[in-house]
Coordinates of all heavy atoms in Angstrom, one line a residue:
M16 N 0.8 -1.2 0.0 CA 0.0 0.0 0.0 C 0.9 1.3 0.0 O 0.4 2.3 -0.4 CB -0.9 0.0 1.2 CG -2.1 0.9 1.1 SD -3.0 0.4 -0.3 CE -4.6 0.7 0.2
A22 N 3.2 6.7 -5.3 CA 2.9 7.0 -6.7 C 1.9 8.2 -6.8 O 2.1 9.1 -7.6 CB 2.2 5.8 -7.3
V26 N 2.8 11.8 -8.6 CA 1.9 12.4 -9.6 C 1.5 13.8 -9.1 O 1.5 14.8 -9.9 CB 0.7 11.5 -9.8 CG1 -0.4 12.3 -10.6 CG2 1.1 10.2 -10.5
V29 N 4.5 16.2 -9.6 CA 4.7 16.6 -11.0 C 3.6 17.6 -11.4 O 3.9 18.6 -12.1 CB 4.7 15.3 -11.9 CG1 4.7 15.7 -13.4 CG2 5.9 14.5 -11.6
A38 N 1.5 28.7 -14.8 CA 1.1 29.9 -14.1 C 2.2 31.0 -14.3 O 1.9 32.2 -14.6 CB 0.8 29.7 -12.7
K40 N 4.4 31.2 -16.8 CA 4.4 31.7 -18.2 C 3.2 32.6 -18.5 O 3.3 33.6 -19.1 CB 4.3 30.5 -19.1 CG 5.6 29.7 -19.2 CD 5.5 28.6 -20.2 CE 6.8 27.7 -20.2 NZ 6.7 26.6 -21.1
R54 N 1.7 51.2 -23.2 CA 2.5 51.9 -24.2 C 1.5 52.6 -25.2 O 1.7 53.7 -25.7 CB 3.5 51.0 -24.9 CG 4.7 50.6 -24.1 CD 5.7 49.8 -24.9 NE 6.6 49.2 -24.0 CZ 6.6 47.9 -23.6 NH1 5.7 47.1 -24.0 NH2 7.5 47.5 -22.7
E67 N -3.7 69.0 -29.4 CA -4.0 70.2 -28.5 C -3.0 71.3 -28.8 O -3.4 72.5 -28.8 CB -4.0 69.7 -27.1 CG -4.5 70.8 -26.1 CD -4.4 70.2 -24.7 OE1 -4.8 69.1 -24.4 OE2 -4.0 71.0 -23.8
A96 N 6.5 91.4 -10.7 CA 5.8 91.3 -12.0 C 5.8 92.7 -12.6 O 5.3 93.6 -12.1 CB 4.4 90.8 -11.8
A99 N 5.5 93.8 -19.8 CA 6.5 93.8 -20.9 C 5.8 93.6 -22.2 O 4.9 92.8 -22.3 CB 7.6 92.7 -20.6
S102 N 6.2 89.6 -28.3 CA 5.6 89.3 -29.6 C 4.7 88.0 -29.5 O 4.9 87.2 -28.6 CB 6.7 89.2 -30.6 OG 7.4 88.0 -30.4
A108 N 6.4 80.4 -28.5 CA 7.6 79.7 -28.0 C 7.3 79.2 -26.6 O 7.7 78.0 -26.3 CB 8.8 80.6 -28.1
R116 N 7.2 70.1 -22.2 CA 7.3 69.6 -20.9 C 6.2 68.6 -20.6 O 6.5 67.5 -20.0 CB 7.3 70.7 -19.9 CG 8.6 71.5 -19.8 CD 8.6 72.5 -18.6 NE 7.6 73.6 -18.8 CZ 7.9 74.7 -19.4 NH1 9.1 74.9 -20.0 NH2 7.0 75.7 -19.5
K118 N 4.6 66.8 -22.7 CA 4.8 65.5 -23.5 C 5.9 64.7 -22.9 O 5.7 63.5 -22.8 CB 5.1 65.9 -25.0 CG 3.9 66.4 -25.7 CD 4.1 66.5 -27.2 CE 4.5 67.9 -27.5 NZ 4.6 68.2 -29.0
K119 N 6.9 65.3 -22.5 CA 8.0 64.6 -21.8 C 7.5 63.9 -20.6 O 7.8 62.7 -20.3 CB 9.2 65.5 -21.5 CG 10.4 64.7 -20.9 CD 11.6 65.6 -20.7 CE 12.8 64.9 -20.1 NZ 12.6 63.6 -19.5
F120 N 6.8 64.6 -19.8 CA 6.2 64.1 -18.5 C 5.3 62.9 -18.8 O 5.4 61.8 -18.2 CB 5.5 65.1 -17.7 CG 4.9 64.6 -16.5 CD1 5.6 64.4 -15.3 CD2 3.5 64.3 -16.4 CE1 5.0 63.9 -14.2 CE2 2.9 63.8 -15.3 CZ 3.7 63.6 -14.2
A140 N 5.3 36.0 -11.5 CA 5.8 34.7 -12.1 C 6.8 34.1 -11.2 O 6.8 32.8 -11.0 CB 6.5 35.0 -13.5
Y145 N 8.4 29.8 -7.4 CA 8.9 29.4 -6.0 C 7.9 28.6 -5.2 O 8.2 27.7 -4.5 CB 9.4 30.6 -5.3 CG 10.7 31.2 -5.9 CD1 10.8 32.5 -6.2 CD2 11.8 30.3 -6.2 CE1 11.9 33.0 -6.8 CE2 12.9 30.8 -6.8 CZ 13.0 32.2 -7.1 OH 14.1 32.7 -7.7
Q146 N 6.6 28.9 -5.5 CA 5.5 28.2 -4.8 C 5.6 26.8 -5.4 O 5.4 25.8 -4.6 CB 4.2 28.8 -5.1 CG 3.0 28.2 -4.5 CD 1.7 28.9 -4.8 OE1 1.7 29.9 -5.5 NE2 0.6 28.4 -4.2
G147 N 5.8 26.6 -6.7 CA 5.9 25.3 -7.3 C 7.1 24.5 -6.7 O 7.0 23.3 -6.4
N150 N 6.2 23.4 -3.2 CA 5.2 22.3 -3.3 C 6.0 21.0 -3.6 O 5.7 19.9 -3.1 CB 4.1 22.5 -4.3 CG 3.2 23.6 -3.8 OD1 3.1 23.9 -2.6 ND2 2.4 24.1 -4.7
N157 N 7.1 14.3 1.9 CA 6.0 13.4 2.2 C 6.3 12.0 1.6 O 6.0 11.0 2.3 CB 4.7 14.0 1.7 CG 4.2 15.1 2.5 OD1 4.6 15.4 3.6 ND2 3.3 16.0 1.9

Side-chain angles (χ1 to χ4, degrees):
M16 200 57 144
V26 169
V29 171
K40 287 179 183 178
R54 288 183 192 103
E67 186 180 317
S102 71
R116 284 189 291 276
K118 287 188 263 187
K119 181 175 181 347
F120 178 78
Y145 293 127
Q146 183 179 1
N150 289 342
N157 288 340

